[in-house]
Structures are given as structure tokens and as C-alpha cells.
Amino acid sequence: EPEVTQTPSHQVTQMGQEVILRCVPISNHLYFYWYRQILGQKVEFLVSFYNNEISEKSEIFDDQFSVERPDGSNFTLKIRSTKLEDSAMYFCASRGLDEQFFGPGTRLTVL
Amino acid sequence: SQQGEEDPQALSIQEGENATMNCSYKTSINNLQWYRQNSGRGLVHLILIRSNEREKHSGRLRVTLDTSKKSSSLLITASRAADTASYFCATVLSFISNFGNEKLTFGTGTRLTIIP
């Protein structure tokens, strides 16, 4: 069964460093999303992406964040200068028709 | 006010019993989806119910939707130890308000523990 994959599973970085989180959505899906979940809190929407452009972004998704679909398979989230409060689990999701399917997540730890 | 809130926040039952979790939301929706999350892991899609549906079944899962009360329930029958997880409802707002984006708004979750 097709699934969303994410790498790495865990990323540790120093405050101020850039990180790139990678996702491979389900191959025939057209809509892509990033969400995050701070430990013990609810899952929050970050950004949606369709037809090679951002369709919506949340207040969390400020100028430090960017997304890209560099080729036909990968979907990346970049954080330019990480802050302590960026520590969270980051989930990629993709959608074909209605259901959104999530990847296993990348746990980002900012020290 | 939050779009999705589940209750109870935590539920412990004996294996074999049925577990019911509820979700309430505030604004009109296009659909509502339930997810399971094992501790520290990813979100597993369980079931989707559309705004024009009242009930759906999938294996041991039964989901109901009452749009007049803006609420949904997830019933897991004949629970097993492996059902221990957190369960989240997530709503997609009606197309009028989301321009077809269909981002998910998650609730706070119910932590379900099945006691063997």
C-alpha cells in the first residue's frame, strides 16, 4: 500500500542553524501539507502546497520557513534559522481526493 | 473557541469492552476525519465521514456525525490492547470557507488505554 515517507526520523540541530526536512508524498497525490506537533499539544497546520505553489499558510509559517517541490517526488520544508521553540514533530501529509495520509514524522530537536 | 475538541481527554477500559470518543466542532465542515497516534509516532488515518453522511463503518470502527449538533463520535467495538493510542478528530471546513485548500484542524485528542 502506498505511503508517505519522511527523512530523517530525528534531527538534532543547534539554534540558528538551517534544517531541511524531507518528504516523499504518495505518487499520484496532488495536494501536500506540513503540520507540526509540539510535545503534548495538538497537531497544527503549517502550510499547504498545490500546483507548485503555496495555497495557504498559517501564522506559524513565517519568513523563516519555506517549502519546495524540487522534483517530481520530494517535498521539503526548510527552516532557515532554527529557534528553540521550533522543537516539535513535523508531519508531512498528502491528499488525493479527500483523505489526508500522514508520514511517520521527523522529530526536530533544537538545542 | 477551538474547532475540534474531544472528550473524554482520557479513557481506560478493559479489553473486550467498547470505547466511545466524542468530538465537537464550531464551524460548518466539509468532512471530518479520525486519526490514531501511538505514542511519539505518526498519524494513522482511520476513517472519513462527509457532511452529508450520518454514519460509517470500517471493521470494528463506527463513526457518527451530527451536523446539527456539530459533533461526531468514534466507537471502537471489542477493544484490544493494540488499540491503546491517542485518537484525534480533524475537520475540513466547508469549501466556501477554505477555497478548496482542505487543511485539517485537529482536536485535542483522547488518550485511550486498553487494560488487558
Side-chain angles (χ1 to χ4, degrees), chain B residues 16-82:
Chain B
E17 293 180 340
N18 296 342
T20 299
M21 290 159 274
N22 303 296
C23 168
S24 61
Y25 57 92
K26 302 290 184 184
T27 57
S28 295
I29 62 170
N30 176 266
N31 65 66
L32 184 147
Q33 304 180 42
W34 284 90
Y35 289 84
R36 183 185 74 231
Q37 184 181 38
N38 291 83
S39 182
R41 300 287 195 85
L43 294 154
V44 176
H45 188 273
L46 296 176
I47 197 165
L48 177 151
I49 187 164
R50 294 182 176 81
S51 60
N52 61 353
E53 297 174 311
R54 292 297 165 258
E55 187 171 313
K56 280 187 85 168
H57 297 254
S58 177
R60 293 185 296 113
L61 305 180
R62 173 178 167 255
V63 169
T64 62
L65 179 65
D66 187 334
T67 52
S68 67
K69 294 181 179 177
K70 292 186 168 58
S71 66
S72 174
S73 67
L74 171 67
L75 168 69
I76 303 174
T77 59
S79 62
R80 305 168 181 165

